[in-house]
């Protein structure tokens, strides 16, 4: 059984037992987190698609860790204009362990 969830402006396909990294969530490590924005639920050949959400469906997850992704380096250059700009960014994430999918 799998589900397509929406969190942090992105969509993820999850199954029980998987670990996913999502945009940072304000929750403590070890805390249970319920995601109720479920777009689709699939079980074998059966697929239930919401309009836009599946009513009554939810995904329970446990917060495993918080962290930062690798640094993304941004370099802008205008040739022959003596313009250079260096910038870096590290996006924060929350790692979730998927515990159960309720359809």
């Amino acid at each position: 059984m799998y589900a397509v969830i929406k969190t942090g402006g992105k969509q993820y396909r999850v199954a029980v037992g998987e670990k996913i990294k999502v945009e940072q969530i304000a929750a403590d490590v070890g805390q249970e987190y319920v995601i109720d924005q479920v777009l689709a639920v699939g079980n074998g050949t059966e697929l239930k698609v919401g309009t836009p959400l599946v009513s009554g469906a939810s995904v329970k997850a446990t917060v495993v860790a918080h962290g930062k992704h690798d640094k993304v380096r941004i370099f802008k250059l205008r040739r022959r204009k003596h313009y250079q700009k260096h910038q870096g960014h590290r996006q924060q994430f929350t790692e979730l362990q998927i515990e159960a999918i309720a359809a």
Side-chain angles (χ1 to χ4, degrees), residues 24 41 45 66:
Q24 188 173 29
V41 177
T45 58
H66 296 288

Side-chain angles (χ1 to χ4, degrees), residues 24-79:
Q24 188 173 29
I25 297 170
D28 295 328
V29 174
Q31 182 177 349
E32 191 173 272
Y33 186 74
V34 178
I35 301 165
D36 56 353
Q37 290 192 327
V38 179
L39 303 172
V41 177
N43 190 1
T45 58
E46 184 182 327
L47 179 64
K48 190 178 190 181
V49 179
T51 54
L53 302 176
V54 177
S55 62
S58 65
V59 174
K60 289 185 182 175
T62 304
V63 177
V64 177
H66 296 288
K68 286 186 174 183
H69 285 290
D70 293 335
K71 182 174 274 193
V72 176
R73 299 190 182 274
I74 298 112
F75 178 68
K76 296 182 179 183
L77 173 73
R78 300 286 181 258
R79 62 186 191 150

Side-chain angles (χ1 to χ4, degrees), residues 63-97:
V63 177
V64 177
H66 296 288
K68 286 186 174 183
H69 285 290
D70 293 335
K71 182 174 274 193
V72 176
R73 299 190 182 274
I74 298 112
F75 178 68
K76 296 182 179 183
L77 173 73
R78 300 286 181 258
R79 62 186 191 150
R80 301 185 305 271
K81 304 298 180 191
H82 202 262
Y83 170 81
Q84 289 183 0
K85 183 179 179 183
H86 299 271
Q87 191 175 357
H89 177 72
R90 291 187 69 187
Q91 186 67 34
Q92 296 184 343
F93 68 85
T94 298
E95 189 172 7
L96 297 175
Q97 172 82 34

